[in-house]
Amino acid sequence: MYGADMDAGGAVLVALVVIPSIAAILVAIGDREWHVKVVVLISSSVSIILALTALLLMVSDGTTFLMVERSELGEPDLAIVVMDILTTFVLIYVGYSRRNISILLLASMILITSIFIELLVKQRGDDPVLMADHLAVIMLLITNTVGAVICIYALGYMSGDRRQNRFFAFMLLFISAMNGAVVSNDLVWLFMFWEVTTLCSYMLISHDATAKAYVSAERALVYTLIGGLALSSSFILIAEDFPTLEISVMEPSMMTDIVVVSIPMIVIAALAKSAQLPFQSWLVGAMVAPTPVSALLHSATMVNLGAYLVLRFWHFWHFYDYLGWGLVAIGSITFLSTSIFALRQSNSKRVLAYSTIGNLGLVFVCAGIATEISVAAGVLLLFFHSIAKALLFLAVGMVKHTTGSEDIEDMQELRQRMPLAAFSIYAGVFLMVFPPFGLFVAKWMLSEAAVAMPAVALVLAVGLGATTAYYGKWLGRMYMSPSGSTRTPLKGKSVGRYYSYPILTLIAMGVSLSSIISLVIGGLVDPYVTSGAEVDIWGVLRTDTGAVPLFALFIVMGVCFVLFSLYLAPGKDEMDVEYTCGEPFQAVVGGAYLYDERAERWGIVISESTALALIVLLLISPYLDIEVVL
Amino acid sequence: MTDIMTALALTVLGPLSVGLLLGVDRKLTARMQNRVGPPILQPFYDLIKLFGKERRADNQAQISYAAACLLLQMVAFIIFATGGDLLVAFFVSGAGNLALALGAFSSRSAFGQIGGQRELLQVLAYEPVLFLVIFMLGWWNGSFLSDSYSDNLLGVMILVLVAMMPVVLIVMQKSPFDIATAHQEIVSGVYVEYSGTYLGILELAHWFELAFIFAVMTLFYNDDDVVLSIAIKVAIVLAFVFFAILIDNSSARLTRWDMIKLTLLIGIGLVSVNMAAIWLHTEGVF
């Protein structure tokens, strides 16, 4: 028999959901600016501590999962249903008040499907309702540490904003809902939290209350509601025809024919949430929101949820290989096209948006290949991407706040004007593309995993090359000076601790976690996939097809690099002005943008319609009964 | 893992033979243009002379990037020489190219900027092809470790090897992708702001990079007979260098945009045809 007492692990999970929610309510009713500050600071630190506690509990006893049984919470299901219906009513109200028929229709349909699910659900036993395995703990770490850092940064960024209460309330609620979604072990619970994140993203994107903000927010809402509707409709079939709604016991082999039909719809929900093609435009449009919102959407919450879902169900893609192929195809198209689109953008936030979509595309590819090594690569990619992307957004936000522009062409001489911002952009990009940092390891693992589906390599090759090119171009721009050779000493206004501390924290996190990446892989990623990649005591990560000396690389790149460049450093008397090849004029060089707007428009049309066709194919694939071999 | 002596020997011999190869390259090019040309050892004389020169720099970052560039290219080749993973070596070498571009950008001179942009476009043009070639090697072989190759792959993957041609042309800075009237300023734009020791460091980095690329090509032929194996490996590299010189001296020039399109088209085209052929064969279609 299960007792009503909760163990420490369970208590942590409940607290991770409840505490940010309470903080959100406190923020909403606080009437002084310092109220908001205090609550956000406390809630953020508590979230970090709780996530780390969850990690410790997990690692100290690697065999068990943290979980909460249904009976430990009293009668929780009723509360979940009430909150689900409440959220849906708010969404319907949004559609009504904005006079947006699509939102109104979609939200109403979600309401109907939710009620249907409730009617169909059979008596549920005393199952674990909240549960955290290694994947969930990784997601909790991302959401709560990166999310907390972003919230603290926002205290500086949003100070003076008259709708601060509303802003921070939804930020905290977002984190709470995200925590809830990743630890839910019951599909109905997962769906409730899923809908709350949708609502929060709408509220935050529309924060500025301008016409443009509303247009973007409504588009985001429509796209994510399509995903939500797909999710809830698939749950109807599952609730109707399947003995359990427990995620942890769902096995692909238990699926009946009727339930199999519903699985592609779960994929579509994930694609919409993670802004994969053809849904990508909502995330690019969401750039109108204040920068902390973009940072939160792109790194700590929202888009990660779709990726989480496909990683969670990876053995399904292994079992039904046509679904795996579907994920790989859509993820590949997304990665390839967004990498190429990013080459042409001069707005830094758009570059970052395309980079996020592309990287999540890679996670979908990883999940779709569905081997142990590829899934490990996907989890690692998601983890390190969050840190690097949050860092880049916060740095860009700082530039925007100080100079009023987020255009890359305007970032020339940024190294002189805003050393910290420039430094953090460099750090962020290096974390994204340079060995020996985390994303390099993840991309290497994916490349090796691609031997299971060689066609993926064709996409990886071009996409990775383009990624280097567009990031390199950006970094280069920050060195350029507008007048050519005027040389000013490094200076810059002090930016305040709400900017500098979060940014430096993220840099420290990215670098230190990269240095102990073998522990991250061995302690968290590997247990989830059971065994993808072995790390030996020398820090060499071995896969079936290769090996990477993680420690050695880190030491060579770190220590040798520092020593070597100190040895080479020029003295004061060895400095010189740049050589102009004998030309008397001062040339000003702009960035290369490779192709014109028309080509870009065509590119978008072609890639979106291909992705749409693939989605249709995915939807009808269970009926086709074809054997996909490859 | 390869034993330490072999690894050490390879690490030293790799860049040395690239130096020699570049000497042969200059000699052959000169002969094709009816000149006498410099002695074969000229690249070594040049390099030694550069290291003896006074150090001049534009800024500190530039020097750090040069250091990073050499370090990364060396590590990439050492990974190969010690029997390590080809894909890791590829990513590390690619990072070296990014460091080179950033070093050029950091000089803040217009020519450095142009050079940096060009370097990034080159990365965009040839790195996908190089990646695919390495991927195909690993896919066929079942392992990416450089000391795990023991088959003759010329038969099954001849198209993949041919796809290396544009890569070699670009990395050797050969002419279809060149601007004749401003070679110094534009084509070598990344190097414009470096001189003396620092230029020497980048030159050495370039040798290591070429050493890695040629080393990948030598993996296409392996035989139990060591002498025959080495002879054919050398022949493959020499053949590519010879064709590069031939193309250099006999073809018209292309813009950078054309370079990207052509290289990706030829490279990816050849590799995917080869990939499809292997796949169809294993599926029993022919």
Side-chain angles (χ1 to χ4, degrees), chain B residues 19-38:
Chain B
L20 213 58
L21 209 59
L22 290 177
V24 172
D25 168 25
R26 285 168 73 167
K27 193 84 184 169
L28 264 177
T29 305
R31 285 294 153 85
M32 283 186 188
Q33 295 168 350
N34 278 330
R35 292 184 284 117
V36 179

Side-chain angles (χ1 to χ4, degrees), chain A residues 191-457:
Chain A
F191 181 68
M192 190 279 282
F193 289 117
W194 182 284
E195 286 305 288
V196 175
T197 62
T198 302
L199 176 66
C200 289
S201 69
Y202 170 79
M203 292 299 181
L204 288 170
I205 298 170
S206 67
H207 176 80
D208 285 347
T210 57
K212 210 176 157 193
Y214 277 121
V215 170
S216 302
E218 284 168 33
R219 187 193 309 151
L221 191 54
V222 169
Y223 281 1
T224 42
L225 282 179
I226 294 174
L229 185 60
L231 198 60
S232 60
S233 334
S234 72
F235 289 173
I236 292 184
L237 294 177
I238 296 174
E240 154 77 19
D241 206 52
F242 202 60
T244 176
L245 289 171
E246 243 185 294
I247 295 172
S248 58
V249 298
M250 293 179 122
E251 284 297 329
S253 51
M254 295 157 64
M255 292 288 158
T256 61
D257 285 348
I258 296 172
V259 176
V260 168
V261 170
S262 72
I263 295 179
M265 293 201 273
I266 298 183
V267 173
I268 289 171
L271 291 171
K273 202 76 169 175
S274 288
Q276 299 295 290
L277 254 58
F279 304 105
Q280 95 288 7
S281 61
W282 78 258
L283 193 63
V284 183
M287 289 294 113
V288 298
T291 305
V293 175
S294 313
L296 199 70
L297 290 178
H298 283 255
S299 59
T301 59
M302 200 66 179
V303 294
N304 287 359
L305 203 49
Y308 161 78
L309 203 64
V310 292
L311 289 172
R312 164 66 68 212
F313 288 110
W314 72 271
H315 43 285
F316 282 73
W317 323 138
H318 189 72
F319 195 84
Y320 299 108
D321 55 358
Y322 59 92
L323 290 175
W325 267 100
L327 279 173
V328 169
I330 295 174
S332 302
I333 288 175
T334 304
F335 177 59
L336 182 64
S337 55
T338 51
S339 305
I340 293 170
F341 296 156
L343 277 172
R344 223 196 87 79
Q345 309 303 320
S346 74
N347 181 312
S348 56
K349 278 173 91 177
R350 286 180 81 91
V351 172
L352 292 180
Y354 279 129
S355 151
T356 303
I357 302 169
N359 274 296
L360 288 165
L362 284 183
V363 177
F364 277 72
V365 171
C366 289
I369 295 176
T371 58
E372 285 166 344
I373 174 83
S374 80
V375 176
V379 177
L380 210 59
L381 194 73
L382 195 61
F383 184 64
F384 280 99
H385 172 261
S386 306
I387 300 170
K389 194 46 70 66
L391 173 59
L392 283 168
F393 266 110
L394 298 193
V396 165
M398 199 160 100
V399 176
K400 171 91 194 281
H401 216 222
T402 315
T403 67
S405 167
E406 56 192 26
D407 198 279
I408 290 173
E409 294 295 307
D410 294 337
M411 287 191 188
Q412 50 190 5
E413 238 184 2
L414 198 69
R415 212 166 68 91
Q416 267 74 26
R417 290 181 288 139
M418 299 184 68
L420 179 66
F423 175 69
S424 29
I425 293 175
Y426 282 108
V429 173
F430 287 163
L431 286 173
M432 295 285 283
V433 298
F434 244 67
F437 298 117
L439 279 168
F440 146 75
V441 180
K443 285 172 182 168
W444 167 79
M445 280 170 85
L446 170 57
S447 310
E448 302 247 316
V451 291
M453 285 191 188
V456 172

Side-chain angles (χ1 to χ4, degrees), chain A residues 67-267:
Chain A
M67 60 174 84
V68 180
E69 315 277 345
R70 181 165 270 114
S71 63
E72 292 173 285
L73 293 172
E75 278 294 323
D77 289 297
L78 187 65
I80 295 290
V81 172
V82 170
M83 279 191 279
D84 187 16
I85 290 178
L86 213 63
T87 314
T88 317
F89 268 119
V90 176
L91 290 169
I92 292 175
Y93 175 73
V94 167
Y96 169 74
S97 70
R98 298 299 313 163
R99 300 284 182 276
N100 190 320
I101 300 292
S102 324
I103 296 176
L104 204 60
L105 271 177
L106 285 166
S108 314
M109 282 159 78
I110 287 176
L111 185 67
I112 297 167
T113 49
S114 306
I115 294 169
F116 246 103
I117 296 173
E118 283 310 319
L119 295 175
L120 288 171
V121 168
K122 299 167 189 73
Q123 189 61 40
R124 282 182 281 192
D126 194 14
D127 312 318
V129 281
L130 299 183
M131 180 147 128
D133 61 355
H134 290 87
L135 177 65
V137 167
I138 291 174
M139 299 302 293
L140 289 177
L141 284 173
I142 297 173
T143 305
N144 293 291
T145 53
V146 178
V149 167
I150 295 168
C151 280
I152 293 169
Y153 170 95
L155 287 176
Y157 193 92
M158 300 304 290
S159 73
D161 189 285
R162 60 187 171 79
R163 300 213 292 169
Q164 250 193 39
N165 296 60
R166 180 185 182 275
F167 181 84
F168 282 104
F170 282 113
M171 291 283 275
L172 293 172
L173 188 62
F174 211 146
I175 289 174
S176 160
M178 187 70 192
N179 285 340
V182 296
V183 299
S184 290
N185 190 36
D186 186 298
L187 287 180
V188 176
W189 289 46
L190 170 68
F191 181 68
M192 190 279 282
F193 289 117
W194 182 284
E195 286 305 288
V196 175
T197 62
T198 302
L199 176 66
C200 289
S201 69
Y202 170 79
M203 292 299 181
L204 288 170
I205 298 170
S206 67
H207 176 80
D208 285 347
T210 57
K212 210 176 157 193
Y214 277 121
V215 170
S216 302
E218 284 168 33
R219 187 193 309 151
L221 191 54
V222 169
Y223 281 1
T224 42
L225 282 179
I226 294 174
L229 185 60
L231 198 60
S232 60
S233 334
S234 72
F235 289 173
I236 292 184
L237 294 177
I238 296 174
E240 154 77 19
D241 206 52
F242 202 60
T244 176
L245 289 171
E246 243 185 294
I247 295 172
S248 58
V249 298
M250 293 179 122
E251 284 297 329
S253 51
M254 295 157 64
M255 292 288 158
T256 61
D257 285 348
I258 296 172
V259 176
V260 168
V261 170
S262 72
I263 295 179
M265 293 201 273
I266 298 183
V267 173

Side-chain angles (χ1 to χ4, degrees), chain B residues 209-269:
Chain B
E209 188 195 0
L210 276 173
F212 170 62
I213 286 171
F214 288 137
V216 169
M217 299 195 319
T218 64
L219 293 178
F220 280 84
Y221 187 84
N222 298 282
D223 199 281
D224 292 337
D225 184 349
V226 180
V227 180
L228 181 69
S229 189
I230 290 177
I232 295 203
K233 281 169 191 284
V234 171
I236 291 174
V237 173
L238 284 177
F240 267 82
V241 173
F242 179 74
F243 275 110
I245 298 168
L246 208 62
I247 295 172
D248 180 25
N249 284 295
S250 62
S251 58
R253 295 178 175 84
L254 296 174
T255 65
R256 291 177 292 174
W257 190 222
D258 286 336
M259 160 183 86
I260 294 183
K261 283 195 283 200
L262 206 69
T263 312
L264 289 182
L265 206 69
I266 294 177
I268 296 181

Side-chain angles (χ1 to χ4, degrees), chain A residues 448 545 547 568 576 579 630, chain B residues 57 65 85 108 144 193 198 279:
Chain A
E448 302 247 316
T545 47
L568 284 177
D576 217 335
Y579 167 64
L630 266 178
Chain B
Y65 284 125
D85 193 301
R108 314 197 311 161
F144 287 93
E193 294 299 330
Y198 302 130
W279 181 74

